[in-house]
Amino acid sequence: ETGVTQTPRHLVMGMTNKKSLKCEQHLGHNAMYWYKQSAKKPLELMFVYNFKEQTENNSVPSRFSPECPNSSHLFLHLHTLQPEDSALYLCASSQDRAGSYNEQFFGPGTRLTVL
Amino acid sequence: DAKTTQPNSMESNEEEPVHLPCNHSTISGTDYIHWYRQLPSQGPEYVIHGLTSNVNNRMASLAIAEDRKSSTLILHRATLRDAAVYYCILRSQGGSEKLVFGKGTKLTVNP
């Protein structure tokens, strides 16, 4: 596997379910991100992790809980979601070298539907 | 983050050049101009970035106005594979790693 992978690619869940999205990067990067892309809205940054530490939470509701056990893996734990949380969830990573431009590499996303 | 303005959509014919404009009149001296694109059913991918001088890479060219209040992404010969939403994003040098996406320009390439 190369680049950034996300599983599952599609997920349908009820509002009372608990599920997790997984992201893995094979690029040796130190920073990882979760973005949300709703229909007809711009991509919204949700969380940023640098060297496994959360450095940004963009006012995301607590029903979304991120976890970064190491620099290669990022999870998004979901519980008691609402139908309006249905969206494409994208993971990205970057090198995070100080003083230089760090291109972000995106995964293909998980298409989430909340019933 | 400073704001960018792009047309909602543009059309081009295959094998013709495409010029995608972006206005960023409130750009600051330390803001880099980045372009990403998102092909259908995929995550965004990096295209190019620049600060003051025009930039070229294998994917595209970036022309930056002298006053830096606007820029143009140039695809020299559009292919059907270039049909995507193109995002122009400003990011401050040394600032947060995050990207703030707008609505972008949806490019349609006609065969």
Side-chain angles (χ1 to χ4, degrees):
Chain A
E1 286 276 17
T2 59
V4 181
T5 57
Q6 292 188 241
T7 53
R9 293 293 308 276
H10 300 271
L11 178 63
V12 180
M13 60 186 288
M15 289 190 286
T16 58
N17 291 157
K18 289 184 180 181
K19 296 286 184 184
S20 295
L21 309 184
K22 179 183 176 182
C23 174
E24 185 172 1
Q25 57 95 359
H26 309 267
L27 301 167
H29 289 166
N30 300 312
M32 296 189 78
Y33 314 77
W34 279 117
Y35 289 85
K36 175 184 177 183
Q37 187 171 33
S38 303
K40 299 183 181 179
K41 288 177 71 175
L43 277 88
E44 303 169 68
L45 179 69
M46 301 175 72
F47 301 103
V48 181
Y49 278 81
N50 269 283
F51 295 91
K52 303 188 297 179
E53 298 297 320
Q54 188 181 118
T55 56
E56 186 146 354
N57 176 337
N58 199 20
S59 302
V60 180
S62 60
R63 57 186 184 269
F64 295 91
S65 175
E67 179 190 1
C68 189
N70 55 62
S71 292
S72 299
H73 294 86
L74 185 63
F75 295 89
L76 189 62
H77 303 299
L78 316 171
H79 63 97
T80 58
L81 293 193
Q82 305 298 312
E84 58 265 27
D85 296 322
S86 299
L88 181 68
Y89 289 85
L90 290 155
C91 174
S93 70
S94 68
Q95 184 61 266
D96 191 28
R97 292 180 299 254
S100 62
Y101 177 67
N102 301 302
E103 170 189 348
Q104 287 189 21
F105 292 80
F106 285 79
T110 294
R111 174 70 63 188
L112 173 68
T113 302
V114 182
L115 302 176
Chain B
D1 296 292
K3 190 176 165 135
T4 63
T5 304
Q6 299 177 253
N8 290 333
S9 62
M10 289 185 66
E11 265 192 63
S12 173
N13 296 320
E14 202 174 7
E15 298 192 5
E16 290 184 357
V18 182
H19 291 236
L20 296 162
C22 181
N23 288 319
H24 27 79
S25 57
T26 59
I27 191 170
S28 75
T30 57
D31 284 339
Y32 278 81
I33 302 156
H34 306 267
W35 285 82
Y36 280 72
R37 72 179 185 180
Q38 187 172 16
L39 281 69
S41 303
Q42 294 188 31
E45 63 176 352
Y46 167 81
V47 178
I48 201 167
H49 79 282
L51 184 63
T52 56
S53 304
N54 295 343
V55 184
N56 300 295
N57 67 19
R58 62 174 180 82
M59 289 180 73
S61 295
L62 177 60
I64 301 172
E66 198 168 331
D67 63 5
R68 300 209 326 125
K69 292 184 186 297
S70 65
S71 60
T72 303
L73 179 71
I74 303 166
L75 307 179
H76 295 285
R77 289 183 67 197
T79 68
L80 296 178
R81 198 197 170 276
D82 291 321
V85 178
Y86 286 78
Y87 299 99
C88 170
I89 301 167
L90 301 183
R91 200 169 84 184
S92 182
Q93 181 183 16
S96 167
E97 289 291 318
K98 69 179 183 182
L99 296 173
V100 179
F101 286 81
K103 294 184 179 179
T105 297
K106 182 176 181 179
L107 175 66
T108 301
V109 180
N110 300 312

